[in-house]
Amino acid sequence: MTGASGYIGGRLVPELLDAGYAVRCLVRTPEKLRDHPWADRVEIVQGDLTDADSVAAALKGVAVAYYLVHALGTGADFEETDRRAATIFAARAKEAGVRRIVYLGGPLPAGVDERDLSPHLRSRAEVGRILGASGVPTAVLRAAIIIGSGSASFEMLRYLTERLPVMVTPRWVRTRVQPIAVRDVLRYLVGCASLPEDVSRAFDIGGPDVLSYRDMMQRYAWVAGLPRRLIVPVPVLTPNLSSLWVGLVTPVPPSIARPLTESLRHEVVCRENDIADHIPDPPGGKVSFERAVALALKRVGEADVTTRWSSASVPGAPSDPLPTDPDWSGGTLYTDRRARRVDASPEDLWRVVEGIGGENGWYSFPLAWAVRGWLDRMVGGVGLRRGRRDAAHLRAGDSLDFWRVEEIEPGRLLRLRAEMRLPGLAWLELMVGHDRHGRTVYLQRALFHPHGLAGHAYWWVISPFHTAVFGGMARNIARAASTQARRDRAPERGALQGPPGRAAGRAGAAGRPAGGHR
């Protein structure tokens, strides 16, 4: 399995395990899989798809190899990166005696020359051809829009529809597409593991509905209980402008939104359903668009989103040095340290630390965080809108607004790595500790490794704001933990000191959230 830390791969692994398969995952950073509930049921090997030796080692003894990665968003040369990785994987799979390759790609619009496709679709098609030419039987599944909680396509549809009751839209909202529910995608992917050896081809896969994007927005509104949307298509919004518009309204950054919107320039409807000859539809049929939306909204409402489009980290980060490396030799490392004694238990403090970000905010100077998020999105970054996968719990590899959870030691350490656009590398560490008297202490470190003169200038320009941002964060996190501790102790005091009504009144007063951190 490649791409096990991504949106589809992270959901496919437990499906394969439940089907009785032994699974080996090839990942660049094994720590990103550590906190997945299925991590102790798989074999995890470290490697990179552009490193032929690590690919060969990972494929040794493998019967079925899933290729679920792409270099989208890694820069202007992502097509070359995709080409090189696929070529290495195909050659090493043949040498290792792999019996099948399974690849999830994108659709090919009918009657459109491949040279006229978006770079995203063109690269997906090329990867499929490279894998298919490997000499290993290959199943290429071509899906358009995947509807499921946390998918980029679903998040784009969701936010556009919920936030804009009236919208002026690009022409592509009229383009017909054939969306498919993520559970049907997973069913097909699992089924491909047992395809006959003489099956080596591409299959179109889609749900039972063929809709325009406009239809999907209206149907989403109906399922979500929203009023009907007023949608006015105009011809002046280019793919680039469309991606900026999507990036402005939704959590999906322009770097991801652009290939999604470019893919909608052409009609993408299944031209065949031959996959049903090998993997029949379930007794109730494939999941309808409305049912897929309802299931996704239920998952979102229950905070039960297992993977998200942002599960994959920004390119390049895993190979960069860590701030804890003892032989760290990357030059200057700027550090801002804060410490606060907290009138609360370590458990109360940790609950606040682990709950940071998303709807809970960053506990200091909200305007500064909002402005930083907007600036990041203006230059093509992810901004603050990615939020959290889970409202209360984090795991290594989770995206958290414009951070990534690089390390988490429950009850002690949360280390975040910045994924906003910066002239350098940045980390934020939140720690729970004790002083020499055994009292709870909150420790905080912000670290920045500058790249070039611009990086040094950036640190000194923002330094005047550190007291408000980082100092306020430490102060308000400590205050929030103390408030939580008083709230937890209030019922006990009420039982000892007076009637329940008075105790409740004191608990309510003590439990009011500290201002300024939402």
Side-chain angles (χ1 to χ4, degrees), residues 255-420:
S255 60
I256 302 296
R258 175 154 189 166
L260 292 177
T261 55
E262 283 183 333
S263 301
L264 292 168
R265 287 187 299 163
H266 306 292
E267 181 175 285
V268 280
V269 175
C270 295
R271 288 174 283 176
E272 42 83 13
N273 188 37
D274 297 348
I275 190 73
D277 296 337
H278 305 284
I279 307 171
D281 293 343
K286 290 183 282 190
V287 180
S288 68
F289 175 80
E290 287 87 349
R291 175 68 174 154
V293 169
L295 289 169
L297 288 176
K298 184 174 184 290
R299 288 282 187 125
V300 171
E302 295 175 349
D304 187 24
V305 181
T306 54
T307 62
R308 303 174 69 218
W309 62 272
S310 54
S311 295
S313 63
V314 294
S319 61
D320 292 327
L322 293 173
T324 52
D325 289 349
D327 56 346
W328 203 89
S329 56
T332 304
L333 184 65
Y334 291 114
T335 304
D336 181 280
R337 290 184 174 87
R338 309 278 168 169
R340 302 281 299 192
R341 190 163 63 83
V342 184
D343 182 21
S345 68
E347 292 75 19
D348 286 327
L349 177 56
W350 178 253
R351 280 202 296 272
V352 176
V353 167
E354 192 177 8
I356 200 168
E359 293 296 321
N360 291 329
W362 290 89
Y363 290 86
S364 72
F365 205 172
L367 179 60
W369 287 93
V371 169
R372 187 63 185 86
W374 278 103
L375 289 175
D376 192 53
R377 294 182 73 83
M378 287 175 62
V379 296
V382 296
L384 282 173
R385 292 186 182 168
R386 291 192 304 185
R388 298 171 54 104
R389 176 190 57 84
D390 183 285
H393 303 289
L394 294 172
R395 64 191 185 198
D398 272 359
S399 61
L400 181 58
D401 292 330
F402 48 40
W403 304 90
R404 176 78 52 183
V405 178
E406 185 172 78
E407 181 60 79
I408 182 168
E409 298 177 17
R412 195 188 79 83
L413 168 70
L414 173 63
R415 181 186 300 125
L416 307 176
R417 188 186 202 115
E419 290 192 344
M420 72 282 276

